Amino acid sequence: MGQSPEIASIRRLIEKASRNRLPVLLLGESGTGKEVVARAIHSANPSGQLVPIDCGSLVGTLMESELFGHTKGSFSGAIDNKKGLVELADGGTAFFDEIGDLPLEMQVKLLRLIQEREFRAVGALNWRKVDLRIITATHRDLKAEVAAGRFRQDLYYRLNVLVFHLPPLRDRKQDIPLLLGHFIDQGREQGLPEFCAGDDVMRALLAYDWPGNVRELKHCIDRMAAVHSEGVLQMADMPSALRYQMDSSSLQNLSDVLEQHPFAEFVLPPRAPVISISDSEKLAIMQALAATQGERGKAAHLLQIGRTTLYRKMKEYGID
């Protein structure tokens, strides 16, 4: 979802990838929506079911059984025949999430599955043919993993056919207002209250770099919907990471004002070795009010903050 050029390009690639059964490799940071893209490719030309396979959870001696199934009596505890995840995806799509975490011994078996379209269950003698689309995803740099010997080069080349590079949210911030509305609507369907984001809140959402990407944005919006007071969402309702980011941005703006506007008529107190954030903000607000003869609208514009923020900070610092 979005109107940025990056997302428009992803939508075009989804449409093209859905026309065939070639392997798809999704690259991007955690939270950028790799599984969303995998489901979109499958849904654009639905056939069978999409089976997510979390490669990071395939550990221990039973990982081969989880993927390919097993026959009765093939090992202790195998009291029945069991289908694996790959067989469940036959006729549909197998989505190998975090493929970079797959152990080397399993990479060999995945390579055979891609090349020959066949697998063998644990304890079985015969190979079984399957028809499925394989989509893989990782946040890792697979080229670096190949160079380090943690990922097979031949498997990398087999997967590297149709490649999607999913952009981090910080590179497409113009999509945040649309995502905000979408997640508010989703929250309403799940029983969460709706809310309106004021200018300060939207400014904070756009200023934050979102290291957790779209997933973090969704969790943030769900949290704000759950805890906010009645009416317009306030800064106090936001997660601490966003409030800190906003305070840091405001401090930087205030610092810039101090450098660009000397306010010669205003007498500065002696500079202390260390000045607190609150003292720095109070000083800059007083300077801006002095420079604008007390006109709060002009002072807020000079400080590059909203009027509501200025009034709140004036009250907080006891400035008349």
Side-chain angles (χ1 to χ4, degrees), residues 11-49:
R11 280 198 291 265
R12 288 193 296 271
L13 287 171
I14 287 172
E15 196 277 326
K16 292 177 181 178
S18 69
R19 300 175 191 167
N20 55 68
R21 308 281 278 176
L22 294 174
V24 176
L25 175 61
L26 307 177
L27 303 175
E29 297 175 7
S30 295
T32 49
K34 295 186 287 294
E35 184 168 349
V36 173
V37 171
R39 292 186 179 278
I41 293 171
H42 175 75
S43 299
N45 189 7
S47 174
Q49 62 177 321

mmCIF file of all heavy atoms in Angstrom, residues 11-49:
data_model
loop_
_atom_site.group_PDB
_atom_site.id
_atom_site.type_symbol
_atom_site.label_atom_id
_atom_site.label_comp_id
_atom_site.label_asym_id
_atom_site.label_seq_id
_atom_site.Cartn_x
_atom_site.Cartn_y
_atom_site.Cartn_z
ATOM 1 N N ARG A 11 4.405 -3.072 -7.057
ATOM 2 C CA ARG A 11 3.111 -3.567 -7.553
ATOM 3 C C ARG A 11 3.227 -4.086 -8.987
ATOM 4 O O ARG A 11 2.614 -5.087 -9.350
ATOM 5 C CB ARG A 11 2.057 -2.463 -7.462
ATOM 6 C CG ARG A 11 1.482 -2.282 -6.065
ATOM 7 C CD ARG A 11 0.175 -1.514 -6.103
ATOM 8 N NE ARG A 11 0.380 -0.130 -6.463
ATOM 9 C CZ ARG A 11 0.516 0.866 -5.596
ATOM 10 N NH1 ARG A 11 0.496 0.617 -4.298
ATOM 11 N NH2 ARG A 11 0.686 2.109 -6.007
ATOM 12 N N ARG A 12 4.018 -3.392 -9.815
ATOM 13 C CA ARG A 12 4.227 -3.865 -11.194
ATOM 14 C C ARG A 12 4.944 -5.212 -11.201
ATOM 15 O O ARG A 12 4.601 -6.114 -11.987
ATOM 16 C CB ARG A 12 5.016 -2.824 -11.995
ATOM 17 C CG ARG A 12 4.216 -1.572 -12.342
ATOM 18 C CD ARG A 12 4.932 -0.731 -13.380
ATOM 19 N NE ARG A 12 6.203 -0.212 -12.887
ATOM 20 C CZ ARG A 12 6.330 0.956 -12.249
ATOM 21 N NH1 ARG A 12 5.267 1.710 -12.036
ATOM 22 N NH2 ARG A 12 7.514 1.364 -11.820
ATOM 23 N N LEU A 13 5.937 -5.372 -10.327
ATOM 24 C CA LEU A 13 6.674 -6.636 -10.261
ATOM 25 C C LEU A 13 5.786 -7.771 -9.761
ATOM 26 O O LEU A 13 5.907 -8.913 -10.213
ATOM 27 C CB LEU A 13 7.893 -6.474 -9.349
ATOM 28 C CG LEU A 13 9.063 -5.660 -9.912
ATOM 29 C CD1 LEU A 13 10.104 -5.398 -8.832
ATOM 30 C CD2 LEU A 13 9.693 -6.378 -11.093
ATOM 31 N N ILE A 14 4.897 -7.470 -8.828
ATOM 32 C CA ILE A 14 3.968 -8.490 -8.328
ATOM 33 C C ILE A 14 3.113 -9.018 -9.474
ATOM 34 O O ILE A 14 2.919 -10.234 -9.627
ATOM 35 C CB ILE A 14 3.079 -7.904 -7.208
ATOM 36 C CG1 ILE A 14 3.899 -7.711 -5.928
ATOM 37 C CG2 ILE A 14 1.869 -8.803 -6.938
ATOM 38 C CD1 ILE A 14 3.163 -6.965 -4.833
ATOM 39 N N GLU A 15 2.609 -8.111 -10.298
ATOM 40 C CA GLU A 15 1.759 -8.510 -11.420
ATOM 41 C C GLU A 15 2.530 -9.383 -12.398
ATOM 42 O O GLU A 15 2.028 -10.398 -12.881
ATOM 43 C CB GLU A 15 1.206 -7.256 -12.108
ATOM 44 C CG GLU A 15 0.029 -7.487 -13.032
ATOM 45 C CD GLU A 15 0.467 -7.953 -14.414
ATOM 46 O OE1 GLU A 15 1.544 -7.517 -14.863
ATOM 47 O OE2 GLU A 15 -0.269 -8.752 -15.040
ATOM 48 N N LYS A 16 3.781 -9.027 -12.678
ATOM 49 C CA LYS A 16 4.595 -9.813 -13.607
ATOM 50 C C LYS A 16 4.945 -11.178 -13.022
ATOM 51 O O LYS A 16 4.914 -12.192 -13.730
ATOM 52 C CB LYS A 16 5.862 -9.039 -13.963
ATOM 53 C CG LYS A 16 5.612 -7.786 -14.792
ATOM 54 C CD LYS A 16 6.896 -7.022 -15.043
ATOM 55 C CE LYS A 16 6.638 -5.752 -15.862
ATOM 56 N NZ LYS A 16 7.870 -4.960 -16.071
ATOM 57 N N ALA A 17 5.293 -11.215 -11.723
ATOM 58 C CA ALA A 17 5.690 -12.479 -11.096
ATOM 59 C C ALA A 17 4.520 -13.454 -11.017
ATOM 60 O O ALA A 17 4.720 -14.676 -11.042
ATOM 61 C CB ALA A 17 6.247 -12.216 -9.700
ATOM 62 N N SER A 18 3.303 -12.927 -10.915
ATOM 63 C CA SER A 18 2.130 -13.798 -10.780
ATOM 64 C C SER A 18 1.807 -14.555 -12.062
ATOM 65 O O SER A 18 1.043 -15.516 -12.036
ATOM 66 C CB SER A 18 0.920 -12.965 -10.351
ATOM 67 O OG SER A 18 0.505 -12.091 -11.395
ATOM 68 N N ARG A 19 2.401 -14.132 -13.194
ATOM 69 C CA ARG A 19 2.078 -14.772 -14.479
ATOM 70 C C ARG A 19 2.807 -16.095 -14.677
ATOM 71 O O ARG A 19 2.519 -16.825 -15.611
ATOM 72 C CB ARG A 19 2.458 -13.839 -15.632
ATOM 73 C CG ARG A 19 1.740 -12.496 -15.632
ATOM 74 C CD ARG A 19 2.316 -11.653 -16.756
ATOM 75 N NE ARG A 19 1.895 -10.262 -16.706
ATOM 76 C CZ ARG A 19 2.453 -9.289 -17.418
ATOM 77 N NH1 ARG A 19 3.457 -9.578 -18.245
ATOM 78 N NH2 ARG A 19 2.012 -8.054 -17.313
ATOM 79 N N ASN A 20 3.815 -16.387 -13.844
ATOM 80 C CA ASN A 20 4.613 -17.595 -14.057
ATOM 81 C C ASN A 20 4.889 -18.267 -12.719
ATOM 82 O O ASN A 20 4.408 -17.820 -11.679
ATOM 83 C CB ASN A 20 5.926 -17.233 -14.777
ATOM 84 C CG ASN A 20 6.702 -16.168 -14.018
ATOM 85 O OD1 ASN A 20 7.207 -16.413 -12.925
ATOM 86 N ND2 ASN A 20 6.778 -14.960 -14.582
ATOM 87 N N ARG A 21 5.680 -19.341 -12.761
ATOM 88 C CA ARG A 21 5.993 -20.108 -11.544
ATOM 89 C C ARG A 21 7.482 -20.061 -11.239
ATOM 90 O O ARG A 21 8.020 -20.946 -10.558
ATOM 91 C CB ARG A 21 5.554 -21.564 -11.726
ATOM 92 C CG ARG A 21 4.122 -21.756 -12.182
ATOM 93 C CD ARG A 21 3.133 -21.609 -11.060
ATOM 94 N NE ARG A 21 3.013 -22.846 -10.291
ATOM 95 C CZ ARG A 21 2.255 -22.960 -9.200
ATOM 96 N NH1 ARG A 21 1.601 -21.919 -8.746
ATOM 97 N NH2 ARG A 21 2.162 -24.117 -8.562
ATOM 98 N N LEU A 22 8.162 -19.024 -11.734
ATOM 99 C CA LEU A 22 9.595 -18.900 -11.476
ATOM 100 C C LEU A 22 9.854 -18.551 -10.006
ATOM 101 O O LEU A 22 9.013 -17.920 -9.357
ATOM 102 C CB LEU A 22 10.201 -17.819 -12.373
ATOM 103 C CG LEU A 22 10.216 -18.097 -13.879
ATOM 104 C CD1 LEU A 22 10.708 -16.871 -14.641
ATOM 105 C CD2 LEU A 22 11.095 -19.303 -14.187
ATOM 106 N N PRO A 23 11.022 -18.953 -9.475
ATOM 107 C CA PRO A 23 11.352 -18.598 -8.085
ATOM 108 C C PRO A 23 11.415 -17.075 -7.909
ATOM 109 O O PRO A 23 11.890 -16.349 -8.787
ATOM 110 C CB PRO A 23 12.726 -19.235 -7.870
ATOM 111 C CG PRO A 23 12.814 -20.323 -8.892
ATOM 112 C CD PRO A 23 12.052 -19.821 -10.077
ATOM 113 N N VAL A 24 10.944 -16.620 -6.760
ATOM 114 C CA VAL A 24 10.963 -15.189 -6.418
ATOM 115 C C VAL A 24 11.766 -15.030 -5.131
ATOM 116 O O VAL A 24 11.566 -15.782 -4.168
ATOM 117 C CB VAL A 24 9.536 -14.645 -6.223
ATOM 118 C CG1 VAL A 24 9.579 -13.185 -5.762
ATOM 119 C CG2 VAL A 24 8.724 -14.773 -7.505
ATOM 120 N N LEU A 25 12.666 -14.050 -5.128
ATOM 121 C CA LEU A 25 13.470 -13.749 -3.943
ATOM 122 C C LEU A 25 13.117 -12.343 -3.467
ATOM 123 O O LEU A 25 13.247 -11.377 -4.218
ATOM 124 C CB LEU A 25 14.965 -13.848 -4.266
ATOM 125 C CG LEU A 25 15.944 -13.436 -3.162
ATOM 126 C CD1 LEU A 25 15.770 -14.306 -1.924
ATOM 127 C CD2 LEU A 25 17.390 -13.514 -3.673
ATOM 128 N N LEU A 26 12.666 -12.238 -2.217
ATOM 129 C CA LEU A 26 12.282 -10.960 -1.630
ATOM 130 C C LEU A 26 13.367 -10.526 -0.647
ATOM 131 O O LEU A 26 13.652 -11.240 0.321
ATOM 132 C CB LEU A 26 10.943 -11.079 -0.896
ATOM 133 C CG LEU A 26 9.785 -11.671 -1.704
ATOM 134 C CD1 LEU A 26 8.543 -11.806 -0.826
ATOM 135 C CD2 LEU A 26 9.485 -10.816 -2.922
ATOM 136 N N LEU A 27 13.966 -9.369 -0.896
ATOM 137 C CA LEU A 27 15.035 -8.844 -0.057
ATOM 138 C C LEU A 27 14.561 -7.564 0.625
ATOM 139 O O LEU A 27 13.927 -6.715 -0.010
ATOM 140 C CB LEU A 27 16.286 -8.559 -0.883
ATOM 141 C CG LEU A 27 16.875 -9.738 -1.665
ATOM 142 C CD1 LEU A 27 18.048 -9.266 -2.524
ATOM 143 C CD2 LEU A 27 17.331 -10.842 -0.714
ATOM 144 N N GLY A 28 14.881 -7.419 1.882
ATOM 145 C CA GLY A 28 14.497 -6.198 2.584
ATOM 146 C C GLY A 28 14.640 -6.373 4.081
ATOM 147 O O GLY A 28 14.709 -7.490 4.602
ATOM 148 N N GLU A 29 14.671 -5.245 4.772
ATOM 149 C CA GLU A 29 14.797 -5.259 6.215
ATOM 150 C C GLU A 29 13.566 -5.908 6.851
ATOM 151 O O GLU A 29 12.509 -6.011 6.225
ATOM 152 C CB GLU A 29 14.955 -3.829 6.748
ATOM 153 C CG GLU A 29 16.201 -3.127 6.263
ATOM 154 C CD GLU A 29 16.262 -1.676 6.726
ATOM 155 O OE1 GLU A 29 15.397 -1.258 7.535
ATOM 156 O OE2 GLU A 29 17.170 -0.947 6.286
ATOM 157 N N SER A 30 13.712 -6.331 8.099
ATOM 158 C CA SER A 30 12.578 -6.897 8.827
ATOM 159 C C SER A 30 11.473 -5.850 8.933
ATOM 160 O O SER A 30 11.729 -4.684 9.229
ATOM 161 C CB SER A 30 13.010 -7.334 10.234
ATOM 162 O OG SER A 30 13.934 -8.397 10.152
ATOM 163 N N GLY A 31 10.249 -6.293 8.686
ATOM 164 C CA GLY A 31 9.108 -5.403 8.821
ATOM 165 C C GLY A 31 8.734 -4.633 7.579
ATOM 166 O O GLY A 31 7.822 -3.807 7.609
ATOM 167 N N THR A 32 9.422 -4.873 6.449
ATOM 168 C CA THR A 32 9.111 -4.123 5.228
ATOM 169 C C THR A 32 7.947 -4.720 4.444
ATOM 170 O O THR A 32 7.498 -4.132 3.459
ATOM 171 C CB THR A 32 10.350 -4.042 4.304
ATOM 172 O OG1 THR A 32 10.910 -5.353 4.144
ATOM 173 C CG2 THR A 32 11.404 -3.115 4.884
ATOM 174 N N GLY A 33 7.462 -5.883 4.858
ATOM 175 C CA GLY A 33 6.278 -6.440 4.204
ATOM 176 C C GLY A 33 6.567 -7.554 3.229
ATOM 177 O O GLY A 33 5.834 -7.724 2.248
ATOM 178 N N LYS A 34 7.591 -8.362 3.498
ATOM 179 C CA LYS A 34 7.946 -9.424 2.558
ATOM 180 C C LYS A 34 6.842 -10.480 2.461
ATOM 181 O O LYS A 34 6.527 -10.943 1.368
ATOM 182 C CB LYS A 34 9.291 -10.038 2.977
ATOM 183 C CG LYS A 34 10.463 -9.063 2.873
ATOM 184 C CD LYS A 34 11.796 -9.726 3.145
ATOM 185 C CE LYS A 34 12.014 -10.069 4.586
ATOM 186 N NZ LYS A 34 12.121 -8.871 5.473
ATOM 187 N N GLU A 35 6.250 -10.838 3.589
ATOM 188 C CA GLU A 35 5.169 -11.828 3.527
ATOM 189 C C GLU A 35 3.931 -11.238 2.848
ATOM 190 O O GLU A 35 3.207 -11.941 2.146
ATOM 191 C CB GLU A 35 4.804 -12.338 4.924
ATOM 192 C CG GLU A 35 3.748 -13.439 4.869
ATOM 193 C CD GLU A 35 3.557 -14.184 6.180
ATOM 194 O OE1 GLU A 35 4.384 -14.001 7.102
ATOM 195 O OE2 GLU A 35 2.582 -14.956 6.274
ATOM 196 N N VAL A 36 3.690 -9.944 3.030
ATOM 197 C CA VAL A 36 2.573 -9.282 2.350
ATOM 198 C C VAL A 36 2.745 -9.389 0.837
ATOM 199 O O VAL A 36 1.797 -9.673 0.093
ATOM 200 C CB VAL A 36 2.473 -7.802 2.778
ATOM 201 C CG1 VAL A 36 1.429 -7.068 1.943
ATOM 202 C CG2 VAL A 36 2.113 -7.706 4.261
ATOM 203 N N VAL A 37 3.973 -9.180 0.356
ATOM 204 C CA VAL A 37 4.255 -9.280 -1.074
ATOM 205 C C VAL A 37 4.086 -10.721 -1.547
ATOM 206 O O VAL A 37 3.525 -10.978 -2.622
ATOM 207 C CB VAL A 37 5.674 -8.760 -1.389
ATOM 208 C CG1 VAL A 37 6.050 -9.054 -2.838
ATOM 209 C CG2 VAL A 37 5.756 -7.264 -1.126
ATOM 210 N N ALA A 38 4.569 -11.680 -0.750
ATOM 211 C CA ALA A 38 4.422 -13.100 -1.125
ATOM 212 C C ALA A 38 2.944 -13.456 -1.270
ATOM 213 O O ALA A 38 2.544 -14.139 -2.228
ATOM 214 C CB ALA A 38 5.086 -13.986 -0.074
ATOM 215 N N ARG A 39 2.121 -12.997 -0.335
ATOM 216 C CA ARG A 39 0.683 -13.288 -0.413
ATOM 217 C C ARG A 39 0.051 -12.580 -1.605
ATOM 218 O O ARG A 39 -0.879 -13.107 -2.231
ATOM 219 C CB ARG A 39 -0.004 -12.879 0.889
ATOM 220 C CG ARG A 39 0.399 -13.744 2.071
ATOM 221 C CD ARG A 39 -0.399 -13.439 3.331
ATOM 222 N NE ARG A 39 0.015 -14.315 4.424
ATOM 223 C CZ ARG A 39 -0.407 -15.548 4.597
ATOM 224 N NH1 ARG A 39 -1.274 -16.076 3.736
ATOM 225 N NH2 ARG A 39 0.010 -16.288 5.607
ATOM 226 N N ALA A 40 0.542 -11.387 -1.926
ATOM 227 C CA ALA A 40 -0.001 -10.659 -3.074
ATOM 228 C C ALA A 40 0.320 -11.375 -4.377
ATOM 229 O O ALA A 40 -0.516 -11.444 -5.281
ATOM 230 C CB ALA A 40 0.563 -9.235 -3.099
ATOM 231 N N ILE A 41 1.530 -11.926 -4.505
ATOM 232 C CA ILE A 41 1.905 -12.679 -5.706
ATOM 233 C C ILE A 41 1.009 -13.913 -5.842
ATOM 234 O O ILE A 41 0.494 -14.215 -6.917
ATOM 235 C CB ILE A 41 3.387 -13.096 -5.642
ATOM 236 C CG1 ILE A 41 4.294 -11.867 -5.720
ATOM 237 C CG2 ILE A 41 3.733 -14.059 -6.776
ATOM 238 C CD1 ILE A 41 5.761 -12.168 -5.446
ATOM 239 N N HIS A 42 0.823 -14.618 -4.730
ATOM 240 C CA HIS A 42 -0.019 -15.821 -4.757
ATOM 241 C C HIS A 42 -1.467 -15.468 -5.089
ATOM 242 O O HIS A 42 -2.113 -16.141 -5.904
ATOM 243 C CB HIS A 42 0.058 -16.529 -3.407
ATOM 244 C CG HIS A 42 -0.854 -17.707 -3.286
ATOM 245 N ND1 HIS A 42 -0.593 -18.919 -3.894
ATOM 246 C CD2 HIS A 42 -2.048 -17.857 -2.650
ATOM 247 C CE1 HIS A 42 -1.563 -19.763 -3.625
ATOM 248 N NE2 HIS A 42 -2.475 -19.144 -2.879
ATOM 249 N N SER A 43 -1.981 -14.401 -4.482
ATOM 250 C CA SER A 43 -3.391 -14.031 -4.658
ATOM 251 C C SER A 43 -3.676 -13.476 -6.045
ATOM 252 O O SER A 43 -4.817 -13.555 -6.517
ATOM 253 C CB SER A 43 -3.801 -13.012 -3.594
ATOM 254 O OG SER A 43 -3.657 -13.556 -2.296
ATOM 255 N N ALA A 44 -2.660 -12.901 -6.701
ATOM 256 C CA ALA A 44 -2.877 -12.321 -8.026
ATOM 257 C C ALA A 44 -3.198 -13.389 -9.063
ATOM 258 O O ALA A 44 -3.833 -13.102 -10.084
ATOM 259 C CB ALA A 44 -1.640 -11.523 -8.458
ATOM 260 N N ASN A 45 -2.749 -14.616 -8.814
ATOM 261 C CA ASN A 45 -3.049 -15.727 -9.716
ATOM 262 C C ASN A 45 -3.197 -16.983 -8.863
ATOM 263 O O ASN A 45 -2.352 -17.876 -8.888
ATOM 264 C CB ASN A 45 -1.928 -15.884 -10.747
ATOM 265 C CG ASN A 45 -2.276 -16.871 -11.838
ATOM 266 O OD1 ASN A 45 -3.401 -17.363 -11.926
ATOM 267 N ND2 ASN A 45 -1.304 -17.192 -12.680
ATOM 268 N N PRO A 46 -4.276 -17.030 -8.066
ATOM 269 C CA PRO A 46 -4.373 -18.069 -7.029
ATOM 270 C C PRO A 46 -4.485 -19.476 -7.606
ATOM 271 O O PRO A 46 -5.223 -19.740 -8.540
ATOM 272 C CB PRO A 46 -5.637 -17.683 -6.259
ATOM 273 C CG PRO A 46 -6.434 -16.877 -7.233
ATOM 274 C CD PRO A 46 -5.442 -16.155 -8.097
ATOM 275 N N SER A 47 -3.698 -20.362 -7.017
ATOM 276 C CA SER A 47 -3.740 -21.782 -7.354
ATOM 277 C C SER A 47 -3.237 -22.531 -6.132
ATOM 278 O O SER A 47 -2.134 -22.276 -5.648
ATOM 279 C CB SER A 47 -2.846 -22.073 -8.562
ATOM 280 O OG SER A 47 -2.773 -23.462 -8.817
ATOM 281 N N GLY A 48 -4.052 -23.434 -5.613
ATOM 282 C CA GLY A 48 -3.662 -24.115 -4.393
ATOM 283 C C GLY A 48 -3.629 -23.155 -3.219
ATOM 284 O O GLY A 48 -4.283 -22.116 -3.209
ATOM 285 N N GLN A 49 -2.826 -23.489 -2.217
ATOM 286 C CA GLN A 49 -2.722 -22.628 -1.040
ATOM 287 C C GLN A 49 -1.299 -22.131 -0.863
ATOM 288 O O GLN A 49 -0.353 -22.704 -1.389
ATOM 289 C CB GLN A 49 -3.165 -23.379 0.217
ATOM 290 C CG GLN A 49 -2.315 -24.607 0.555
ATOM 291 C CD GLN A 49 -2.759 -25.266 1.848
ATOM 292 O OE1 GLN A 49 -3.117 -24.597 2.823
ATOM 293 N NE2 GLN A 49 -2.750 -26.601 1.882
#
